[in-house]
Amino acid sequence: MSAVIGKPRRRVDGRAKVTGQTRFADDLILPRMLHCKLLRSSVPHARIVRIDTAKAAAHPGVHLVLTGDAFPVAYGVLPVSHDEHALCRDKVRFVGDPVAAVIARDEATAAAAVDLIEVEYETLRTLAAPDDSLAHPEPRIHEYGDTGNVHKAVSLQFGDVDAAISGADHVFDDVFFFEGNTHLPIEQHATVAAKDGDGKLVVWSSTQTPHYLHRSLAKALQMPAAHIRVMATPNGGGFGGKSDPFNHEVVVAKAALMLDRPVKICLTREEVFYCHRGRHPVLMRFRTGVTRDGKITGVDLQTLLDGGAYGSYGVASTFYTGALQTVTYDIPTYRFRGCRVFTNKPPCGPKRGHGTPQGRFGQEVQLDKIAERLQVDPADLRLNIIAPPDSLTANYLRIGTIGLAECIRTVVASSGWKDTFRRLPLGRGVGLACSSYLSGAGLPINWNDLPHSGVQLKLDRSGGVTAFCGATEIGQGSDDVLVASVAEVLGIEPFDIRAVTGDTDLTPVDLGSYSSRVTLMMGNAAIEAATRARDLLARAVSRKLEVPVERLTFRDRRVFDRDDPGRGVTFQEAVCMAEAEFGTIGTTGSYTPPKSPAKFKGGGVGPSPTYSYTAAIVEVEVDPDTGWLVVPKIWIAHDIGRSLNPTLVRGQVEGGVYMGLGEALMEEQAFRRLPPRLSNALVHKFPSMLEYKSPTFLEMPEVHTDLIESMDPAGPFGAKEVGQGPLLPIMPALANAVYDAVGVRIDEIPITPEKVLKALQSKAAGKPARVGPASFPENVPWPDALLVTPPWEGGDGRASNEPVKKSKRKAEAGVEATAGVRR
């Protein structure tokens, strides 16, 4: 790192001057690192009347104090939600919102100076929950959004849902709640910024999305993007929590430019809770019609999301709460309404599964209720309604291969389900649930026709290969996928390949490590680049050996005649032959997902090149006297397409099980009010790892993992995603297992002993044996639904009541005219 921060500073006699500087090498002297700390709001909602930084600026060791005036330009990750400033300019929106920054000689000095800053606030009404935000459109947390404090409300209808449900043999109407929770990566956020020897900005950061951070820095700092270099450091866990551009990244970048010194910031664990971007709390209402034999006739889903104080990925999150129900089960008619509101809490965003675990919980628990009413085995019910492969859903998502049936049969067999379900003694039970997930989002965040991932290869005369890609290693094994894909095509060993990743100066763009997109998209780009390199080598070797290209085999670091293996050259010799004939050998590959058939507004959320599928069975032991829960074993089967590295795949599956179990049993991003004498502010209940509970080794059960291979043609070598899908069925499977064990329904997450005991006491008193929300609010300002005819009713993917833009009409008319001429 030190070699690229700045140029050596020498005396005239060639000897380095060291006063006030840091020596990294005999001939390289750099300015000493400075450190940054942020002053964060102590109130949840207020106008900033005055900030006095004089005492902090005069404090010994302080080099710079910044406030919101230094950051006039707003930024954000979604184009529709550029609502954040690096430091608040006129208003704070949650406890923890940053209002000032101190850059000093060390962290302790910066922290001491932060305490000297005086801020005067004019407090505003605190909106603590979605019902507050719906009931009080004023004061607005933001001046944009659909209305009042509603950030985004959507309504989509596919077919005559009301007729389908009213004509069903059975109608189920259930309300569920999924509490918010956070990512809890072991590594906290950290960033270093500096100017390089050419005066350009360099930022090292623990980010999952260097490309989007690069864009946001250019906008917020009003700099040409070509003068900014972002390097994503290997992450100690991300899970979606490092997918946004963050305040602290922009602040230290600005400070480094102003001071011409490297500036570093490391957030505390409490500050990571303030950054958040974790799981949205979601209230859901599912109305589902089914026939006597368990076929679904229609689903009507409403979701209400607590978005926190800023937009983040929230518009996409809203759609995701209802997008993927149809790619798991055959749903002929479907209506989805989703509403995200702003509240005075840390902003929610994308956590592993991004918006889909909440809706999956509700649907899978309701299916368990349906199976009980129909007196059908829950596994058999699901096997009877699985969405067909190679089909279009009601909301125009294209399904490819689907291995869900085999996943279900596998966990049923391995767990002994038929011998245990409804057969175990009181206090013991098993529950089943399924899920589906994207193998990468089909559209980029900033809509364009550019590739989603690119890979460049450099083949060296030594026989070494360097692979360049903008993808980011966050512990999921993306670097392994990159080098393994190239090695497989070129017939060399992964150790022969050097991976250079996550560097916006050196690597082609990859959109980032999110939406389980990297294996499929980067993998396909890597295969294309390697195939082009192999073709060049094959042509050169073919001429040299006088062997047809189609007979050449690349294997074991050799290129040889398939019919006469002794006749060949080493891979290094092949590279030299190709370089002699074609010049320096470098190739590129890229990947762009296929176009989505969905043409309606909102149809950009949900499409994917292919979908993964998972089935899980959870065994639970419940103490009827205390409600205490223990999970001794989980069986899970995941449709991986093809497992490129079984060790890494199993690690991802079991990591998803671990995280899902934490959400199911204990994790919650809870808030509380301080007493009136202490400002009555809305603050975190547990902003530390000491109190925010997550499973330890003691709570982690035995996990039996099966990998189901379906060889999907859309994936590299047939692979699908595994990073997020296996988490989704764990929470509903646990809820269903609790019902099997003690006969009570816990229709909300997390499922705690207190809730189980409350439901048991209610059952004993002859009341409903359930804990969960009672109703869904009636005052949600739903827009008129976009009406989209399903494909099997002759639909074309467009909404019949959506105005077509004039420019779009002209383009479509041109396409139709051209098509007519060709015919």
Side-chain angles (χ1 to χ4, degrees), residues 656-685:
V657 169
Y658 166 83
M659 185 168 281
L661 194 63
E663 295 191 29
L665 290 173
M666 61 190 75
E667 294 190 39
E668 52 185 334
Q669 179 94 334
F671 295 82
R672 61 188 173 91
R673 288 278 197 174
L674 291 176
R677 63 183 176 81
L678 296 177
S679 81
N680 202 36
L682 182 71
V683 298
H684 275 83
K685 192 174 182 181

PDB file of all heavy atoms in Angstrom, residues 656-685:
ATOM      1  N   GLY A 656     -25.259 -19.740   5.579  1.00  0.00           N
ATOM      2  CA  GLY A 656     -26.627 -19.262   5.468  1.00  0.00           C
ATOM      3  C   GLY A 656     -27.527 -19.856   6.535  1.00  0.00           C
ATOM      4  O   GLY A 656     -28.397 -19.168   7.094  1.00  0.00           O
ATOM      5  N   VAL A 657     -27.332 -21.133   6.840  1.00  0.00           N
ATOM      6  CA  VAL A 657     -28.099 -21.773   7.915  1.00  0.00           C
ATOM      7  C   VAL A 657     -27.833 -21.075   9.242  1.00  0.00           C
ATOM      8  O   VAL A 657     -28.765 -20.759  10.002  1.00  0.00           O
ATOM      9  CB  VAL A 657     -27.739 -23.271   8.012  1.00  0.00           C
ATOM     10  CG1 VAL A 657     -28.327 -23.878   9.285  1.00  0.00           C
ATOM     11  CG2 VAL A 657     -28.242 -24.018   6.781  1.00  0.00           C
ATOM     12  N   TYR A 658     -26.575 -20.795   9.510  1.00  0.00           N
ATOM     13  CA  TYR A 658     -26.206 -20.116  10.757  1.00  0.00           C
ATOM     14  C   TYR A 658     -26.885 -18.752  10.858  1.00  0.00           C
ATOM     15  O   TYR A 658     -27.486 -18.410  11.883  1.00  0.00           O
ATOM     16  CB  TYR A 658     -24.683 -19.957  10.826  1.00  0.00           C
ATOM     17  CG  TYR A 658     -24.222 -18.986  11.885  1.00  0.00           C
ATOM     18  CD1 TYR A 658     -24.085 -19.394  13.208  1.00  0.00           C
ATOM     19  CD2 TYR A 658     -23.944 -17.656  11.563  1.00  0.00           C
ATOM     20  CE1 TYR A 658     -23.681 -18.504  14.195  1.00  0.00           C
ATOM     21  CE2 TYR A 658     -23.543 -16.759  12.540  1.00  0.00           C
ATOM     22  CZ  TYR A 658     -23.415 -17.186  13.849  1.00  0.00           C
ATOM     23  OH  TYR A 658     -23.023 -16.299  14.818  1.00  0.00           O
ATOM     24  N   MET A 659     -26.801 -17.971   9.791  1.00  0.00           N
ATOM     25  CA  MET A 659     -27.385 -16.629   9.833  1.00  0.00           C
ATOM     26  C   MET A 659     -28.904 -16.705   9.938  1.00  0.00           C
ATOM     27  O   MET A 659     -29.534 -15.936  10.674  1.00  0.00           O
ATOM     28  CB  MET A 659     -26.963 -15.829   8.603  1.00  0.00           C
ATOM     29  CG  MET A 659     -27.418 -14.387   8.628  1.00  0.00           C
ATOM     30  SD  MET A 659     -26.631 -13.367   7.357  1.00  0.00           S
ATOM     31  CE  MET A 659     -25.045 -13.059   8.120  1.00  0.00           C
ATOM     32  N   GLY A 660     -29.514 -17.632   9.206  1.00  0.00           N
ATOM     33  CA  GLY A 660     -30.960 -17.791   9.281  1.00  0.00           C
ATOM     34  C   GLY A 660     -31.419 -18.210  10.662  1.00  0.00           C
ATOM     35  O   GLY A 660     -32.453 -17.752  11.159  1.00  0.00           O
ATOM     36  N   LEU A 661     -30.641 -19.056  11.304  1.00  0.00           N
ATOM     37  CA  LEU A 661     -30.992 -19.496  12.652  1.00  0.00           C
ATOM     38  C   LEU A 661     -30.920 -18.332  13.637  1.00  0.00           C
ATOM     39  O   LEU A 661     -31.769 -18.208  14.539  1.00  0.00           O
ATOM     40  CB  LEU A 661     -30.051 -20.619  13.089  1.00  0.00           C
ATOM     41  CG  LEU A 661     -30.464 -21.413  14.326  1.00  0.00           C
ATOM     42  CD1 LEU A 661     -31.773 -22.149  14.078  1.00  0.00           C
ATOM     43  CD2 LEU A 661     -29.356 -22.392  14.715  1.00  0.00           C
ATOM     44  N   GLY A 662     -29.922 -17.474  13.463  1.00  0.00           N
ATOM     45  CA  GLY A 662     -29.831 -16.294  14.321  1.00  0.00           C
ATOM     46  C   GLY A 662     -31.038 -15.393  14.165  1.00  0.00           C
ATOM     47  O   GLY A 662     -31.601 -14.896  15.154  1.00  0.00           O
ATOM     48  N   GLU A 663     -31.461 -15.157  12.919  1.00  0.00           N
ATOM     49  CA  GLU A 663     -32.644 -14.332  12.687  1.00  0.00           C
ATOM     50  C   GLU A 663     -33.892 -14.994  13.263  1.00  0.00           C
ATOM     51  O   GLU A 663     -34.787 -14.322  13.789  1.00  0.00           O
ATOM     52  CB  GLU A 663     -32.819 -14.081  11.192  1.00  0.00           C
ATOM     53  CG  GLU A 663     -31.694 -13.263  10.576  1.00  0.00           C
ATOM     54  CD  GLU A 663     -32.005 -12.790   9.167  1.00  0.00           C
ATOM     55  OE1 GLU A 663     -33.185 -12.590   8.848  1.00  0.00           O
ATOM     56  OE2 GLU A 663     -31.053 -12.624   8.383  1.00  0.00           O
ATOM     57  N   ALA A 664     -33.964 -16.313  13.147  1.00  0.00           N
ATOM     58  CA  ALA A 664     -35.153 -17.033  13.606  1.00  0.00           C
ATOM     59  C   ALA A 664     -35.280 -17.026  15.122  1.00  0.00           C
ATOM     60  O   ALA A 664     -36.395 -16.915  15.656  1.00  0.00           O
ATOM     61  CB  ALA A 664     -35.105 -18.475  13.099  1.00  0.00           C
ATOM     62  N   LEU A 665     -34.177 -17.121  15.830  1.00  0.00           N
ATOM     63  CA  LEU A 665     -34.226 -17.330  17.278  1.00  0.00           C
ATOM     64  C   LEU A 665     -34.025 -16.084  18.124  1.00  0.00           C
ATOM     65  O   LEU A 665     -34.597 -15.979  19.213  1.00  0.00           O
ATOM     66  CB  LEU A 665     -33.160 -18.352  17.686  1.00  0.00           C
ATOM     67  CG  LEU A 665     -33.383 -19.803  17.276  1.00  0.00           C
ATOM     68  CD1 LEU A 665     -32.156 -20.632  17.621  1.00  0.00           C
ATOM     69  CD2 LEU A 665     -34.619 -20.369  17.970  1.00  0.00           C
ATOM     70  N   MET A 666     -33.194 -15.132  17.663  1.00  0.00           N
ATOM     71  CA  MET A 666     -32.784 -14.105  18.627  1.00  0.00           C
ATOM     72  C   MET A 666     -32.460 -12.741  18.060  1.00  0.00           C
ATOM     73  O   MET A 666     -32.556 -11.743  18.778  1.00  0.00           O
ATOM     74  CB  MET A 666     -31.561 -14.617  19.405  1.00  0.00           C
ATOM     75  CG  MET A 666     -30.345 -14.917  18.548  1.00  0.00           C
ATOM     76  SD  MET A 666     -29.029 -15.779  19.466  1.00  0.00           S
ATOM     77  CE  MET A 666     -29.715 -17.438  19.590  1.00  0.00           C
ATOM     78  N   GLU A 667     -32.063 -12.617  16.815  1.00  0.00           N
ATOM     79  CA  GLU A 667     -31.553 -11.326  16.356  1.00  0.00           C
ATOM     80  C   GLU A 667     -32.680 -10.339  16.084  1.00  0.00           C
ATOM     81  O   GLU A 667     -33.677 -10.676  15.442  1.00  0.00           O
ATOM     82  CB  GLU A 667     -30.713 -11.510  15.087  1.00  0.00           C
ATOM     83  CG  GLU A 667     -29.441 -12.293  15.332  1.00  0.00           C
ATOM     84  CD  GLU A 667     -28.496 -12.259  14.141  1.00  0.00           C
ATOM     85  OE1 GLU A 667     -28.377 -11.198  13.496  1.00  0.00           O
ATOM     86  OE2 GLU A 667     -27.884 -13.296  13.843  1.00  0.00           O
ATOM     87  N   GLU A 668     -32.530  -9.120  16.567  1.00  0.00           N
ATOM     88  CA  GLU A 668     -33.500  -8.064  16.286  1.00  0.00           C
ATOM     89  C   GLU A 668     -32.853  -6.701  16.484  1.00  0.00           C
ATOM     90  O   GLU A 668     -32.163  -6.466  17.468  1.00  0.00           O
ATOM     91  CB  GLU A 668     -34.750  -8.199  17.161  1.00  0.00           C
ATOM     92  CG  GLU A 668     -34.499  -8.326  18.639  1.00  0.00           C
ATOM     93  CD  GLU A 668     -35.790  -8.566  19.420  1.00  0.00           C
ATOM     94  OE1 GLU A 668     -36.865  -8.159  18.939  1.00  0.00           O
ATOM     95  OE2 GLU A 668     -35.717  -9.153  20.507  1.00  0.00           O
ATOM     96  N   GLN A 669     -33.064  -5.827  15.508  1.00  0.00           N
ATOM     97  CA  GLN A 669     -32.582  -4.446  15.577  1.00  0.00           C
ATOM     98  C   GLN A 669     -33.660  -3.642  16.297  1.00  0.00           C
ATOM     99  O   GLN A 669     -34.496  -2.992  15.686  1.00  0.00           O
ATOM    100  CB  GLN A 669     -32.341  -3.919  14.160  1.00  0.00           C
ATOM    101  CG  GLN A 669     -31.863  -2.482  14.082  1.00  0.00           C
ATOM    102  CD  GLN A 669     -30.354  -2.344  14.014  1.00  0.00           C
ATOM    103  OE1 GLN A 669     -29.625  -3.217  14.479  1.00  0.00           O
ATOM    104  NE2 GLN A 669     -29.876  -1.266  13.436  1.00  0.00           N
ATOM    105  N   ALA A 670     -33.645  -3.716  17.623  1.00  0.00           N
ATOM    106  CA  ALA A 670     -34.719  -3.142  18.426  1.00  0.00           C
ATOM    107  C   ALA A 670     -34.350  -1.742  18.901  1.00  0.00           C
ATOM    108  O   ALA A 670     -33.172  -1.402  19.061  1.00  0.00           O
ATOM    109  CB  ALA A 670     -35.013  -4.045  19.616  1.00  0.00           C
ATOM    110  N   PHE A 671     -35.378  -0.922  19.167  1.00  0.00           N
ATOM    111  CA  PHE A 671     -35.186   0.458  19.600  1.00  0.00           C
ATOM    112  C   PHE A 671     -36.017   0.730  20.850  1.00  0.00           C
ATOM    113  O   PHE A 671     -36.973   0.022  21.148  1.00  0.00           O
ATOM    114  CB  PHE A 671     -35.579   1.432  18.483  1.00  0.00           C
ATOM    115  CG  PHE A 671     -34.682   1.330  17.284  1.00  0.00           C
ATOM    116  CD1 PHE A 671     -34.880   0.346  16.326  1.00  0.00           C
ATOM    117  CD2 PHE A 671     -33.616   2.195  17.120  1.00  0.00           C
ATOM    118  CE1 PHE A 671     -34.049   0.231  15.235  1.00  0.00           C
ATOM    119  CE2 PHE A 671     -32.771   2.089  16.025  1.00  0.00           C
ATOM    120  CZ  PHE A 671     -32.991   1.100  15.084  1.00  0.00           C
ATOM    121  N   ARG A 672     -35.638   1.791  21.566  1.00  0.00           N
ATOM    122  CA  ARG A 672     -36.358   2.154  22.782  1.00  0.00           C
ATOM    123  C   ARG A 672     -36.326   3.675  22.926  1.00  0.00           C
ATOM    124  O   ARG A 672     -35.505   4.362  22.308  1.00  0.00           O
ATOM    125  CB  ARG A 672     -35.709   1.510  24.014  1.00  0.00           C
ATOM    126  CG  ARG A 672     -34.261   1.941  24.250  1.00  0.00           C
ATOM    127  CD  ARG A 672     -33.590   1.140  25.351  1.00  0.00           C
ATOM    128  NE  ARG A 672     -32.166   1.443  25.469  1.00  0.00           N
ATOM    129  CZ  ARG A 672     -31.677   2.391  26.272  1.00  0.00           C
ATOM    130  NH1 ARG A 672     -32.490   3.105  27.030  1.00  0.00           N
ATOM    131  NH2 ARG A 672     -30.383   2.622  26.328  1.00  0.00           N
ATOM    132  N   ARG A 673     -37.219   4.182  23.742  1.00  0.00           N
ATOM    133  CA  ARG A 673     -37.249   5.603  24.043  1.00  0.00           C
ATOM    134  C   ARG A 673     -36.489   5.879  25.329  1.00  0.00           C
ATOM    135  O   ARG A 673     -36.665   5.176  26.327  1.00  0.00           O
ATOM    136  CB  ARG A 673     -38.694   6.063  24.223  1.00  0.00           C
ATOM    137  CG  ARG A 673     -39.493   6.113  22.937  1.00  0.00           C
ATOM    138  CD  ARG A 673     -39.228   7.383  22.183  1.00  0.00           C
ATOM    139  NE  ARG A 673     -40.260   7.632  21.193  1.00  0.00           N
ATOM    140  CZ  ARG A 673     -40.329   8.735  20.464  1.00  0.00           C
ATOM    141  NH1 ARG A 673     -39.428   9.674  20.618  1.00  0.00           N
ATOM    142  NH2 ARG A 673     -41.291   8.889  19.582  1.00  0.00           N
ATOM    143  N   LEU A 674     -35.638   6.882  25.316  1.00  0.00           N
ATOM    144  CA  LEU A 674     -35.029   7.336  26.559  1.00  0.00           C
ATOM    145  C   LEU A 674     -36.099   8.015  27.421  1.00  0.00           C
ATOM    146  O   LEU A 674     -37.098   8.514  26.888  1.00  0.00           O
ATOM    147  CB  LEU A 674     -33.895   8.319  26.267  1.00  0.00           C
ATOM    148  CG  LEU A 674     -32.644   7.745  25.594  1.00  0.00           C
ATOM    149  CD1 LEU A 674     -31.664   8.869  25.299  1.00  0.00           C
ATOM    150  CD2 LEU A 674     -31.986   6.684  26.463  1.00  0.00           C
ATOM    151  N   PRO A 675     -35.924   8.045  28.715  1.00  0.00           N
ATOM    152  CA  PRO A 675     -36.883   8.756  29.572  1.00  0.00           C
ATOM    153  C   PRO A 675     -36.974  10.222  29.165  1.00  0.00           C
ATOM    154  O   PRO A 675     -36.005  10.790  28.649  1.00  0.00           O
ATOM    155  CB  PRO A 675     -36.278   8.604  30.977  1.00  0.00           C
ATOM    156  CG  PRO A 675     -35.363   7.435  30.877  1.00  0.00           C
ATOM    157  CD  PRO A 675     -34.843   7.418  29.481  1.00  0.00           C
ATOM    158  N   PRO A 676     -38.129  10.858  29.397  1.00  0.00           N
ATOM    159  CA  PRO A 676     -38.291  12.275  29.021  1.00  0.00           C
ATOM    160  C   PRO A 676     -37.191  13.180  29.583  1.00  0.00           C
ATOM    161  O   PRO A 676     -36.755  14.113  28.912  1.00  0.00           O
ATOM    162  CB  PRO A 676     -39.668  12.627  29.594  1.00  0.00           C
ATOM    163  CG  PRO A 676     -40.412  11.328  29.596  1.00  0.00           C
ATOM    164  CD  PRO A 676     -39.388  10.277  29.912  1.00  0.00           C
ATOM    165  N   ARG A 677     -36.736  12.880  30.797  1.00  0.00           N
ATOM    166  CA  ARG A 677     -35.689  13.727  31.386  1.00  0.00           C
ATOM    167  C   ARG A 677     -34.366  13.602  30.633  1.00  0.00           C
ATOM    168  O   ARG A 677     -33.484  14.439  30.757  1.00  0.00           O
ATOM    169  CB  ARG A 677     -35.484  13.366  32.859  1.00  0.00           C
ATOM    170  CG  ARG A 677     -35.002  11.957  33.095  1.00  0.00           C
ATOM    171  CD  ARG A 677     -34.885  11.618  34.583  1.00  0.00           C
ATOM    172  NE  ARG A 677     -34.503  10.245  34.812  1.00  0.00           N
ATOM    173  CZ  ARG A 677     -33.244   9.793  34.743  1.00  0.00           C
ATOM    174  NH1 ARG A 677     -32.266  10.637  34.479  1.00  0.00           N
ATOM    175  NH2 ARG A 677     -32.983   8.526  34.967  1.00  0.00           N
ATOM    176  N   LEU A 678     -34.234  12.542  29.809  1.00  0.00           N
ATOM    177  CA  LEU A 678     -33.025  12.339  29.006  1.00  0.00           C
ATOM    178  C   LEU A 678     -33.322  12.529  27.519  1.00  0.00           C
ATOM    179  O   LEU A 678     -32.723  11.868  26.684  1.00  0.00           O
ATOM    180  CB  LEU A 678     -32.459  10.937  29.253  1.00  0.00           C
ATOM    181  CG  LEU A 678     -31.970  10.643  30.666  1.00  0.00           C
ATOM    182  CD1 LEU A 678     -31.520   9.199  30.780  1.00  0.00           C
ATOM    183  CD2 LEU A 678     -30.827  11.588  31.041  1.00  0.00           C
ATOM    184  N   SER A 679     -34.275  13.374  27.217  1.00  0.00           N
ATOM    185  CA  SER A 679     -34.579  13.819  25.841  1.00  0.00           C
ATOM    186  C   SER A 679     -35.653  13.007  25.141  1.00  0.00           C
ATOM    187  O   SER A 679     -36.117  13.400  24.074  1.00  0.00           O
ATOM    188  CB  SER A 679     -33.330  13.832  24.951  1.00  0.00           C
ATOM    189  OG  SER A 679     -33.022  12.528  24.471  1.00  0.00           O
ATOM    190  N   ASN A 680     -36.055  11.845  25.683  1.00  0.00           N
ATOM    191  CA  ASN A 680     -37.104  11.043  25.043  1.00  0.00           C
ATOM    192  C   ASN A 680     -36.702  10.574  23.645  1.00  0.00           C
ATOM    193  O   ASN A 680     -37.542  10.257  22.809  1.00  0.00           O
ATOM    194  CB  ASN A 680     -38.416  11.825  24.968  1.00  0.00           C
ATOM    195  CG  ASN A 680     -39.616  10.905  24.821  1.00  0.00           C
ATOM    196  OD1 ASN A 680     -39.636   9.822  25.398  1.00  0.00           O
ATOM    197  ND2 ASN A 680     -40.614  11.312  24.052  1.00  0.00           N
ATOM    198  N   ALA A 681     -35.409  10.566  23.363  1.00  0.00           N
ATOM    199  CA  ALA A 681     -34.929  10.203  22.028  1.00  0.00           C
ATOM    200  C   ALA A 681     -35.146   8.719  21.740  1.00  0.00           C
ATOM    201  O   ALA A 681     -35.161   7.878  22.647  1.00  0.00           O
ATOM    202  CB  ALA A 681     -33.449  10.540  21.894  1.00  0.00           C
ATOM    203  N   LEU A 682     -35.312   8.422  20.474  1.00  0.00           N
ATOM    204  CA  LEU A 682     -35.427   7.039  20.013  1.00  0.00           C
ATOM    205  C   LEU A 682     -34.029   6.511  19.742  1.00  0.00           C
ATOM    206  O   LEU A 682     -33.334   7.006  18.864  1.00  0.00           O
ATOM    207  CB  LEU A 682     -36.278   6.987  18.735  1.00  0.00           C
ATOM    208  CG  LEU A 682     -36.547   5.610  18.149  1.00  0.00           C
ATOM    209  CD1 LEU A 682     -37.516   4.820  19.026  1.00  0.00           C
ATOM    210  CD2 LEU A 682     -37.115   5.742  16.728  1.00  0.00           C
ATOM    211  N   VAL A 683     -33.601   5.512  20.503  1.00  0.00           N
ATOM    212  CA  VAL A 683     -32.230   5.020  20.397  1.00  0.00           C
ATOM    213  C   VAL A 683     -32.237   3.502  20.270  1.00  0.00           C
ATOM    214  O   VAL A 683     -33.224   2.829  20.558  1.00  0.00           O
ATOM    215  CB  VAL A 683     -31.379   5.425  21.633  1.00  0.00           C
ATOM    216  CG1 VAL A 683     -31.276   6.932  21.734  1.00  0.00           C
ATOM    217  CG2 VAL A 683     -31.969   4.841  22.910  1.00  0.00           C
ATOM    218  N   HIS A 684     -31.093   2.971  19.825  1.00  0.00           N
ATOM    219  CA  HIS A 684     -30.934   1.528  19.764  1.00  0.00           C
ATOM    220  C   HIS A 684     -31.107   0.916  21.150  1.00  0.00           C
ATOM    221  O   HIS A 684     -30.640   1.476  22.150  1.00  0.00           O
ATOM    222  CB  HIS A 684     -29.523   1.155  19.287  1.00  0.00           C
ATOM    223  CG  HIS A 684     -29.366   1.128  17.811  1.00  0.00           C
ATOM    224  ND1 HIS A 684     -29.136   2.250  17.075  1.00  0.00           N
ATOM    225  CD2 HIS A 684     -29.413   0.101  16.931  1.00  0.00           C
ATOM    226  CE1 HIS A 684     -29.023   1.925  15.810  1.00  0.00           C
ATOM    227  NE2 HIS A 684     -29.191   0.631  15.682  1.00  0.00           N
ATOM    228  N   LYS A 685     -31.734  -0.226  21.191  1.00  0.00           N
ATOM    229  CA  LYS A 685     -31.824  -0.943  22.449  1.00  0.00           C
ATOM    230  C   LYS A 685     -30.520  -1.672  22.733  1.00  0.00           C
ATOM    231  O   LYS A 685     -30.043  -1.717  23.868  1.00  0.00           O
ATOM    232  CB  LYS A 685     -32.987  -1.941  22.390  1.00  0.00           C
ATOM    233  CG  LYS A 685     -33.357  -2.545  23.729  1.00  0.00           C
ATOM    234  CD  LYS A 685     -34.613  -3.410  23.598  1.00  0.00           C
ATOM    235  CE  LYS A 685     -35.024  -3.976  24.951  1.00  0.00           C
ATOM    236  NZ  LYS A 685     -36.236  -4.839  24.825  1.00  0.00           N
TER     237      LYS A 685
END
